[in-house]
Amino acid sequence: MTAARLVAIGIIYLGSALAWFILGGTVVSRTGESDQKIATEVARLWGGRHTQIAPSAWVEVPRLVVEELPPNVAGGPVRRVEKTVVDRVAAPASSSRVDVSLDLDQRRKGLLWYDTYGVAFAGEYRFHNPHDVPRRFVVSFVFPSAEGLYDDFAFELNGTPTPPVADLAQGLSATADLAPGQEAMLKVRYRSRGLGDWTYAFSGSGVAQVRDFLLVMKTDFQSIDFPAGTLSPTERSPHGKGWTLTWQFASLVTGQRIGMDAPNRLNPGPLASRITFFAPVSLLFFITVMVILGAIRGQSLHPMHYFFVSAAFFAFHLLLAYLVDHVDIHAAFVISAATSLFLVVSYLRVVAGTRFALAQAGAAQLVFLVLFSYAFFFEGYTGLTVTVGAIVTLYVLMQLTARVRWEDVFARDGATLRKA
């Protein structure tokens, strides 16, 4: 009879676990569908990911080319035609001064928070004609995002603003005639809004060489991180609520970029799914403690009692999964936890008394369901929290049962069940 009761409890546990996996799958599906649909809308409304590429420049070098053409008639002379072609010879910036300000302004849509920010960009670039003859100098600038809005935009070469261009999809360019060794200064500035990481690339692709480079970035947020494949700042110092970060290089050859990964807020959808998938572990701890305590005190719960308690546990995750769509994740967690605790305590108070419902079942639910689930709010510490909780639980149970004669307990339970 005792074995049959344990088997019944195990079946209830497995059924509850299956229900949690189904619920967790629906949350994951809702989150994925929401992200695919809403991320595009956010990018269109706010602006896409920003990758600002340094302006590229070159000088035009004319070159005389002689082409041989076939004769007009059979046996006639070969014709030679001379024409002038213009080669583009790269003219890297001799000096770069860039200022960037990032102001975090995260937006929530559906089950996800999106890392949106405002960016103010200003750059001064010096170029020079390295040849000993006058050359035509050309500089080209590409916008960091095709979906962005650019306010207070300026693009000036040697103090001359660039005339309006009909199609800015490929960026814009300006030209100037430079004497041998003459310098040209390009000034670019704008205010825009972006989504996700902000990066600055020294070139469009491949390895680039930069000289006399200085980029100063100011943030209004403390939690900073740098995307993979980007350079760490050479200096950093606190600035108000954020940081002042400096990248300074006298001469650098690299294929990496400069970047900033805006801090991520706790996303309700992924958090709710992780808590839901973990729920069977919480219930397993709870059932184990309840079974052992029942065996010790000689009043075990019936499998039907565990069925209703498991349903009350499931109510926590079900309510959390759909509340996070409408209220703050912390408020949703508190409401869901309070609801589940009320269901369990009020039910077991009638079944086994107020003291058992509060001091044993309620306390166990508070630890294994509420506190274990809340550990997911602290990314990186969830596993440690659960491990410590499991070890403490094991210690308490070992101390409580160290003097228990289990053969007497099982014999007593069998006799009780036979009388029933």
Side-chain angles (χ1 to χ4, degrees):
M1 294 295 291
T2 302
R5 175 172 289 193
L6 292 176
V7 169
I9 295 174
I11 293 174
I12 293 171
Y13 170 78
L14 292 177
S16 302
L18 178 61
W20 271 311
F21 285 127
I22 294 174
L23 178 61
T26 62
V27 177
V28 171
S29 177
R30 288 165 52 213
T31 303
E33 292 175 359
S34 172
D35 189 26
Q36 292 177 3
K37 178 181 178 181
I38 296 177
T40 302
E41 297 178 359
V42 173
R44 290 176 178 175
L45 291 172
W46 188 260
R49 186 181 302 273
H50 275 218
T51 299
Q52 180 60 71
I53 302 175
S56 59
W58 63 88
V59 292
E60 295 181 345
V61 179
R63 177 166 55 91
L64 187 64
V65 177
V66 178
E67 291 187 357
E68 293 186 352
L69 300 179
N72 291 331
V73 296
V78 176
R79 295 179 297 160
R80 290 180 172 80
V81 178
E82 294 182 353
K83 65 177 183 179
T84 301
V85 297
V86 178
D87 294 328
R88 291 183 174 184
V89 179
S94 58
S95 174
S96 303
R97 297 291 181 267
V98 182
D99 289 305
V100 180
S101 294
L102 297 178
D103 299 322
L104 191 64
D105 189 8
Q106 294 165 318
R107 300 299 175 98
R108 177 179 171 176
K109 293 287 186 180
L111 294 173
L112 296 170
W113 280 95
Y114 292 90
D115 299 331
T116 52
Y117 54 83
V119 54
F121 179 90
E124 292 187 0
Y125 303 88
R126 291 183 180 274
F127 304 87
H128 75 282
N129 176 13
H131 302 272
D132 55 1
V133 294
R135 296 296 188 194
R136 171 62 61 89
F137 172 81
V138 184
V139 61
S140 176
F141 174 82
V142 179
F143 290 98
S145 172
E147 300 168 328
L149 303 173
Y150 302 96
D151 186 27
D152 191 29
F153 176 75
F155 181 78
E156 301 177 354
L157 181 61
N158 287 339
T160 302
T162 301
V165 179
D167 183 12
L168 295 177
Q170 303 300 322
L172 55 129
S173 60
T175 61
D177 293 321
L178 299 182
Q182 183 180 358
E183 282 193 341
M185 176 177 286
L186 173 69
K187 293 184 179 181
V188 182
R189 73 169 185 273
Y190 60 78
R191 292 198 306 270
S192 184
R193 302 181 301 188
L195 169 67
D197 300 343
W198 184 93
T199 54
Y200 180 91
F202 298 110
S203 67
S205 61
V207 178
Q209 181 176 15
V210 292
R211 296 183 178 87
D212 191 15
F213 179 86
L214 175 64
L215 187 149
V216 178
M217 177 187 296
K218 294 181 179 179
T219 72
D220 67 345
F221 46 88
Q222 285 283 343
S223 179
I224 59 174
D225 196 8
F226 309 105
T230 60
L231 301 167
S232 297
T234 54
E235 295 180 15
R236 66 176 72 186
S237 60
H239 172 77
K241 297 181 180 180
W243 292 89
T244 296
L245 308 171
T246 302
W247 287 262
Q248 186 169 16
F249 308 103
S251 180
L252 175 70
V253 177
T254 183
Q256 294 186 318
R257 301 179 175 188
I258 293 172
M260 173 58 62
D261 183 4
N264 301 316
R265 292 193 63 166
L266 205 57
N267 280 311
L271 178 66
S273 65
R274 291 197 298 271
I275 292 176
T276 302
F277 284 126
F278 182 79
V281 178
S282 298
L283 182 61
L284 181 61
F285 274 104
F286 180 84
I287 290 177
T288 301
V289 171
M290 290 298 100
V291 168
I292 292 176
L293 291 179
I296 293 174
R297 69 190 185 95
Q299 185 181 1
S300 299
L301 296 176
H302 191 273
M304 284 304 299
H305 296 149
Y306 284 107
F307 171 79
F308 286 110
V309 169
S310 299
F313 269 57
F314 184 78
F316 165 77
H317 302 88
L318 183 64
L319 189 58
L320 178 66
Y322 290 96
L323 268 182
V324 292
D325 283 344
H326 308 287
V327 299
D328 178 75
I329 180 63
H330 292 88
F333 185 92
V334 171
I335 294 172
S336 303
T339 301
S340 182
L341 282 168
F342 173 77
L343 290 174
V344 171
V345 172
S346 62
Y347 174 67
L348 292 181
R349 180 186 63 83
V350 179
V351 172
T354 302
R355 181 177 179 181
F356 173 80
L358 289 174
Q360 297 182 26
Q365 185 185 11
L366 181 64
V367 172
F368 301 127
L369 177 66
V370 180
L371 295 184
F372 275 19
S373 297
Y374 196 73
F376 283 86
F377 284 80
F378 305 98
E379 189 173 354
Y381 292 91
T382 305
L384 178 61
T385 302
V386 174
T387 301
V388 172
I391 293 174
V392 172
T393 301
L394 178 62
Y395 171 79
V396 172
L397 292 178
M398 291 174 67
Q399 296 300 311
L400 290 175
T401 60
R403 298 181 182 277
V404 173
R405 296 176 61 87
W406 290 104
E407 61 273 13
D408 295 341
V409 170
F410 285 109
R412 182 187 64 201
D413 286 350
T416 301
L417 290 171
R418 283 193 295 271
K419 291 180 181 180

